[in-house]
Amino acid sequence: MPDPAPDDAQRRRNRLKLLAILAVCATPVIASYLTYYVIKPEGRTNYGTLVEPQVPVARLELRAAAEGRRLETFRGKWLMLVLADKACDAECERRLVVIRQVRLTTGKERDRIERALLIEGDPPAAGVLAEHEGLQVLRADPAALAALRQAAGGEAGVLLIDPLGNLMMRFPTDPDPNRMKKDIAKLLRASRVG
């Protein structure tokens, strides 16, 4: 009877096949460990700046009330908040247009978002308010506005308050509506609250 053991060349080919199969199976695992532990992505995907740690609006003791409303009454909704000092100037009006457009472009999700103007001085002219149906105008004293700006951690054009009442994101003083919309769309998709 002939010897059933394969020759050395056949044995090497079988080992190479086995090693190739192991390499194909192990490559994704090794690549994932390298990506997670060694090659850490530096970029961020959000346009707005996250406020870390999040600051509960109720803790800021804002006494911003108009017609009996306070910031805490917006709980359960996302709130885009524009801050204005003495009066709503041209920059303020531009931010109001931006938040109106961003809210409208969220489509069926727009009912989850409220808009408000927090102002120290007199409310904007009636003509300006007529262009922004549904905009809530809230008054604040200078100390309340300063506390909110300090909590935001920088110069902010538009602040975003989550449905739980936490100040969680700020956008630049001259916000880009397209990039802002992408951030808010991601938040609305990810959030089951509000």
Side-chain angles (χ1 to χ4, degrees):
M1 263 192 147
D3 186 18
D7 62 341
D8 286 340
Q10 181 65 33
R11 209 175 290 160
R12 266 184 287 205
R13 279 192 296 261
N14 288 342
R15 283 185 186 156
L16 286 174
K17 287 179 186 176
L18 180 62
L19 288 175
I21 291 171
L22 286 174
V24 166
C25 293
T27 300
V29 175
I30 293 169
S32 69
Y33 274 96
L34 281 174
T35 303
Y36 187 77
Y37 291 109
V38 179
I39 308 169
K40 295 187 179 184
E42 296 297 322
R44 61 183 185 142
T45 59
N46 54 308
Y47 169 62
T49 304
L50 292 173
V51 175
E52 295 179 316
Q54 292 180 354
V55 179
V57 174
R59 198 179 83 198
L60 294 176
E61 297 181 17
L62 292 174
R63 299 291 177 246
E67 302 168 13
R69 291 202 78 171
R70 295 171 43 147
L71 282 177
E72 293 85 20
T73 63
F74 292 103
R75 287 191 92 139
K77 300 260 187 179
W78 289 91
L79 177 64
M80 290 188 287
L81 185 65
V82 173
L83 304 180
D85 291 324
K86 301 289 183 202
C88 190
D89 58 8
E91 278 187 31
C92 170
E93 288 181 26
R94 183 185 180 298
R95 286 185 212 125
L96 292 177
V97 170
V98 167
I99 66 171
R100 180 187 66 204
Q101 295 306 105
V102 167
R103 180 179 177 269
L104 288 174
T105 59
T106 57
K108 64 182 180 181
E109 302 287 341
R110 72 174 165 254
D111 293 335
R112 296 173 64 188
I113 302 170
E114 290 286 338
R115 298 167 296 128
L117 169 65
L118 187 61
I119 191 164
E120 177 187 332
D122 294 327
V128 172
L129 292 177
E131 294 176 15
H132 301 284
E133 183 180 337
L135 176 72
Q136 301 293 322
V137 179
L138 308 171
R139 288 182 178 250
D141 59 20
L145 279 173
L148 191 56
R149 283 194 174 100
Q150 182 179 5
E155 189 63 33
V158 178
L159 299 177
L160 187 65
I161 298 172
D162 70 13
L164 301 175
N166 298 313
L167 172 62
M168 55 91 52
M169 187 175 276
R170 67 181 160 87
F171 294 97
T173 53
D174 187 21
D176 178 0
N178 292 325
R179 294 175 71 190
M180 194 172 160
K181 177 196 176 268
K182 288 178 185 176
D183 278 1
I184 291 177
K186 284 182 206 173
L187 288 169
L188 291 174
R189 265 194 316 273
S191 172
R192 297 290 170 227
V193 182

